C-alpha cells in the first residue's frame, strides 16, 4: 500500500491503476481543467499545473515506485528516500512552475514550517492573476486604450512579510505540531479507509502562529497589505478572441509566500469577444450579409452597402450585366481585419448577398400582362412525362425557409456550397483542436431515430 495517495487522488485513480488508466485519467482531467477552457476560473491554471505534475511522477515507473514507497519526500530526496543530493526545489519548480494550491484546506504539495517537506519549493515568481476582459469587434479592429484602477496585495513593508512586530517570533502551531499539515481519513469502499495530508486550517500550512500581541500593527499578521495603482492596457489592432494582455509583475504577492526576493506574478487579461450583430470573423477575414432588392440583383446597383467597423461607409457598384443570385458573395480585398502587429495589412471582407423578393402586395398591383414579356419564360413540364401524376394539397402556411437557422459562436457561418473558387479565412492557421485518441469512436452517430 503506498504511503502517500495524494497524487492518485488528484487524478482520481486508485493506487493500483495501470499505466494506461493513469494516462487516460490525466488526459481527461487536463482537458477538463485546461486554462483556455476555464478563462473565468482563476484557479484553473493552478489545477492544470498540479495535474501535469502528478502525471509526470506517476507516468514514470521509477518515480512512481519511489513515490509509492516514500511519498513526496522520497521524490524530493528527503529522509528515507533514495534521491539524496537532489534539490527538491529544482524538482518542484520544474514540475509545478509556481507550486500547488496554498492557503485554505485542500490538497497541497508544499507545506512550510519546521518539519515540513523541505520548506516548500523556491518559486521563480509568484502566482499570476487571470482576468477575463470583454471586447467588441470594433475594439479589435480599431484598437483600444483602457485605463483602470486596480488593487493588489503586496508584502507589508513594516514587517517585511513576517507578520510580526520587531523581534517577535512565532510559536509552533499546536494543532499540526509545527508540520503545517494534518492527516485526513477518508472512507474508501465498505471497510477500507485512506489517509491524505491536508493543509492545517489553524496556521494555514505555515506550521507557526503568532500571538495576538506580537502581530504587526499594519498588516495584522496577514503579511501583505493592499495597494491601489492606476493601470492601463492596450488592445492592439488585430488581436483575437482569448488572446492575452500581460502586465508583468503587477500580480499579487501571495500571503503564503511573502518573500520580498520572489518577484510578484503577472496580471493577465484574457480577451473575450462579444458577438457582433452584423460582422463575423475568421482569422483576418470578415463576413457580413447585405440585402439587395430583386431589381438590384437583376439590373445592378451603385450605393453604400454597409457601415464598416471604423464608421466608414462602403460604397460598391456591381458589375454591369452581372445577375446576382441569393448567397452570391463579393470579396472586397483589404477590407477585413488588420493583421496583429502589422495593422497596415488587412484581410478580406466577404459580402454575402441576400436577394429580397417582392411581397404579395407588389405582385397583386403590378401589370402582369406587361411584366410577362420582360421576364424569362416559365419552364415546361418534365420530359418524359411520368406515367402517374398526383397533385398534393398544400396551404399557404406550408411555405417555409428551411435554410433559416442559427449558428453557435465559433461555428462555420457560410454555406460552403455557395463558393467554388475560394475558402473563407483559408489563409489563417486554424486553432488546433485537442482530441483524445481514447475517445475516438465513442461518440453518438450523426443520425438517430427520434
Amino acid at each position: 500500500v503506498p504511503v502517500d495517495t495524494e497524487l492518485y487522488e488528484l487524478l482520481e485513480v486508485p493506487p493500483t491503476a495501470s499505466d494506461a488508466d493513469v494516462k487516460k485519467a490525466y488526459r481527461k482531467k487536463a482537458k477538463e481543467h485546461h486554462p483556455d477552457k476555464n478563462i473565468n476560473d482563476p484557479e484553473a491554471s493552478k489545477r492544470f499545473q498540479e495535474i501535469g505534475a502528478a502525471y509526470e511522477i506517476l507516468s514514470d515507473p521509477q518515480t512512481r515506485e519511489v513515490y509509492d514507497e516514500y511519498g513526496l519526500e522520497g521524490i524530493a530526496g528527503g529522509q528515507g528516500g533514495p534521491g539524496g543530493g537532489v534539490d527538491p526545489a529544482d524538482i518542484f519548480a520544474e514540475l509545478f512552475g509556481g507550486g500547488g494550491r496554498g492557503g485554505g484546506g485542500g490538497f497541497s504539495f508544499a507545506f512550510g514550517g519546521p518539519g515540513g517537506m523541505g520548506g516548500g519549493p523556491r518559486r521563480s515568481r509568484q502566482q499570476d492573476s487571470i482576468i477575463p476582459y470583454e471586447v467588441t469587434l470594433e475594439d479589435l479592429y480599431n484598437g483600444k486604450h483602457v485605463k483602470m484602477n486596480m488593487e493588489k496585495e503586496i508584502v507589508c513593508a513594516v514587517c517585511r512579510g513576517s507578520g510580526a512586530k520587531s523581534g517577535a517570533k512565532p510559536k509552533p502551531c499546536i494543532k499540526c505540531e509545527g508540520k503545517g499539515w494534518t492527516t485526513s481519513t477518508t472512507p474508501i469502499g465498505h471497510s477500507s479507509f485512506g489517509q491524505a495530508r491536508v493543509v492545517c486550517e489553524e496556521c494555514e500550512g505555515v506550521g507557526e502562529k503568532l500571538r495576538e500581541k506580537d502581530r504587526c500593527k499594519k498588516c495584522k499578521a496577514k503579511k501583505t497589505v493592499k495597494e491601489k495603482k492606476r493601470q492601463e492596457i492596450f488592445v492592439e489592432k488585430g488581436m483575437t478572441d482569448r488572446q492575452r494582455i500581460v502586465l508583468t509583475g503587477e500580480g499579487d504577492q501571495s500571503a503564503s509566500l511573502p518573500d520580498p526576493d520572489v518577484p510578484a506574478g503577472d496580471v493577465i487579461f484574457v480577451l473575450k469577444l462579444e458577438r457582433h450583430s452584423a460582422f463575423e470573423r475568421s482569422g483576418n477575414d470578415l463576413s457580413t450579409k447585405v440585402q439587395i432588392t430583386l431589381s438590384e440583383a437583376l439590373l445592378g446597383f451603385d450605393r453604400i452597402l454597409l457601415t464598416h467597423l471604423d464608421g466608414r461607409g462602403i460604397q460598391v457598384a456591381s458589375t454591369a450585366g452581372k445577375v446576382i443570385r441569393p448567397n452570391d458573395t463579393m470579396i472586397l480585398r483589404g477590407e477585413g481585419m488588420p493583421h496583429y502587429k502589422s495593422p497596415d495589412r488587412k484581410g478580406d471582407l466577404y459580402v454575402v448577398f441576400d436577394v429580397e423578393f417582392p411581397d404579395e402586395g407588389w405582385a397583386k398591383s403590378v401589370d402582369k400582362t406587361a411584366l410577362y414579356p420582360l421576364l424569362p419564360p416559365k419552364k415546361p413540364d418534365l420530359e418524359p412525362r411520368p406515367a402517374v401524376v398526383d397533385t398534393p394539397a398544400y396551404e399557404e402556411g406550408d411555405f417555409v425557409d428551411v435554410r433559416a437557422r442559427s449558428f453557435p459562436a465559433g461555428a462555420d457561418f457560410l454555406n460552403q456550397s455557395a463558393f467554388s473558387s475560394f475558402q473563407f479565412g483559408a489563409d489563417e492557421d486554424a486553432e488546433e483542436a485537442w482530441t483524445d485518441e481514447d475517445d475516438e469512436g465513442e461518440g453518438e452517430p450523426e443520425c438517430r431515430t427520434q
Side-chain angles (χ1 to χ4, degrees):
V1 177
V3 298
D4 192 339
T5 60
E6 289 172 323
L7 300 187
Y8 293 104
E9 291 169 5
L10 187 61
L11 296 181
E12 296 184 358
V13 294
T16 57
S18 65
D19 293 343
D21 291 337
V22 170
K23 180 179 180 180
K24 187 171 184 179
Y26 161 71
R27 292 166 72 94
K28 179 180 178 181
K29 299 292 289 185
K31 286 197 293 183
E32 178 183 349
H33 296 290
H34 195 280
D36 289 345
K37 294 187 176 182
N38 300 273
I39 60 175
N40 294 322
D41 183 1
E43 300 295 321
S45 177
K46 191 159 53 178
R47 288 195 297 269
F48 184 73
Q49 290 177 353
E50 292 174 357
I51 291 166
Y55 180 68
E56 285 283 342
I57 293 173
L58 298 182
S59 62
D60 187 308
Q62 293 182 345
T63 56
R64 182 175 179 178
E65 182 180 353
V66 172
Y67 173 71
D68 287 345
E69 187 171 355
Y70 300 103
L72 284 172
E73 293 185 14
I75 296 294
Q79 289 184 343
V86 179
D87 187 352
D90 294 338
I91 296 177
F92 287 100
E94 179 180 355
L95 293 179
F96 289 89
R101 298 179 215 166
F107 182 86
S108 177
F109 284 113
F111 302 100
M117 297 181 187
R122 295 193 301 269
R123 303 181 188 174
S124 58
R125 62 185 177 89
Q126 303 200 40
Q127 184 179 343
D128 296 332
S129 299
I130 310 295
I131 303 175
Y133 184 75
E134 291 190 352
V135 291
T136 64
L137 196 55
E138 285 86 352
D139 295 335
L140 301 182
Y141 185 90
N142 300 299
K144 187 178 182 181
H145 180 204
V146 184
K147 294 183 178 181
M148 64 187 73
N149 292 321
M150 297 187 65
E151 193 175 69
K152 69 175 184 176
E153 297 281 346
I154 63 170
V155 171
C156 178
V158 175
C159 64
R160 289 190 56 81
S162 69
K165 291 182 179 179
S166 178
K169 294 184 178 180
K171 304 295 182 182
C173 176
I174 297 175
K175 184 175 182 179
C176 66
E177 298 178 345
K179 297 189 295 293
W181 52 268
T182 58
T183 302
S184 173
T185 303
T186 306
I188 303 175
H190 297 289
S191 58
S192 300
F193 293 88
Q195 289 188 336
R197 294 177 181 176
V198 295
V199 176
C200 176
E201 297 178 355
E202 189 70 22
C203 64
E204 297 182 347
V206 178
E208 300 171 329
K209 195 173 181 181
L210 282 166
R211 293 180 298 180
E212 187 74 28
K213 65 177 183 178
D214 293 333
R215 295 180 179 181
C216 172
K217 290 185 177 181
K218 184 173 183 179
C219 67
K220 309 299 182 184
K222 293 182 179 179
K223 304 179 183 180
T224 60
V225 294
K226 294 186 181 296
E227 179 189 62
K228 293 183 178 180
K229 190 174 182 180
R230 186 77 167 171
Q231 296 284 9
E232 57 183 359
I233 62 173
F234 296 90
V235 180
E236 298 184 50
K237 294 181 180 181
M239 280 188 161
T240 59
D241 185 31
R242 296 193 296 180
Q243 190 164 346
R244 300 186 173 196
I245 300 175
V246 180
L247 299 181
T248 305
E250 295 297 339
D252 291 329
Q253 289 185 309
S254 173
S256 62
L257 188 64
D259 184 354
D261 296 329
V262 179
D266 301 333
V267 173
I268 302 175
F269 290 90
V270 181
L271 301 184
K272 185 177 181 182
L273 178 61
E274 298 175 357
R275 189 179 185 90
H276 200 274
S277 59
F279 292 90
E280 294 200 33
R281 179 182 184 178
S282 178
N284 289 324
D285 294 333
L286 290 171
S287 170
T288 188
K289 181 171 284 190
V290 172
Q291 284 194 336
I292 59 174
T293 64
L294 180 59
S295 61
E296 287 179 314
L298 297 174
L299 305 177
F301 57 83
D302 185 358
R303 64 178 176 90
I304 298 175
L305 289 181
L306 56 98
T307 302
H308 213 311
L309 294 169
D310 56 359
R312 289 180 298 125
I314 302 299
Q315 180 160 348
V316 179
S318 60
T319 305
K322 168 70 175 177
V323 175
I324 299 177
R325 297 170 177 79
N327 287 324
D328 274 0
T329 301
M330 175 183 291
I331 308 176
L332 301 181
R333 306 289 182 185
E335 288 295 344
M337 291 293 297
H339 287 232
Y340 179 55
K341 296 298 185 183
S342 301
D344 293 336
R345 297 174 54 208
K346 292 184 179 179
D348 300 329
L349 172 60
Y350 293 76
V351 180
V352 184
F353 291 106
D354 183 16
V355 180
E356 189 178 52
F357 281 78
D359 58 16
E360 290 79 1
W362 179 88
K364 292 177 181 178
S365 63
V366 73
D367 184 353
K368 296 182 178 61
T369 304
L371 183 60
Y372 278 137
L374 302 177
L375 296 175
K378 295 182 179 180
K379 289 189 176 182
D381 285 337
L382 294 175
E383 292 293 343
R385 184 180 177 85
V388 178
V389 178
D390 287 337
T391 306
Y394 68 91
E395 298 178 0
E396 184 176 350
D398 291 337
F399 281 91
V400 295
D401 186 359
V402 297
R403 297 170 301 169
R405 54 188 175 135
S406 61
F407 294 89
D412 291 337
F413 50 83
L414 294 180
N415 182 0
Q416 297 298 327
S417 63
F419 313 109
S420 58
S421 60
F422 66 89
Q423 182 178 357
F424 180 70
D427 61 329
E428 296 298 314
D429 293 332
E431 181 179 356
E432 182 180 355
W434 186 338
T435 59
D436 190 341
E437 297 175 357
D438 297 331
D439 294 338
E440 292 183 2
E442 296 178 2
E444 294 183 347
E446 294 182 358
C447 300
R448 293 182 296 169
T449 303
Q450 300 295 322

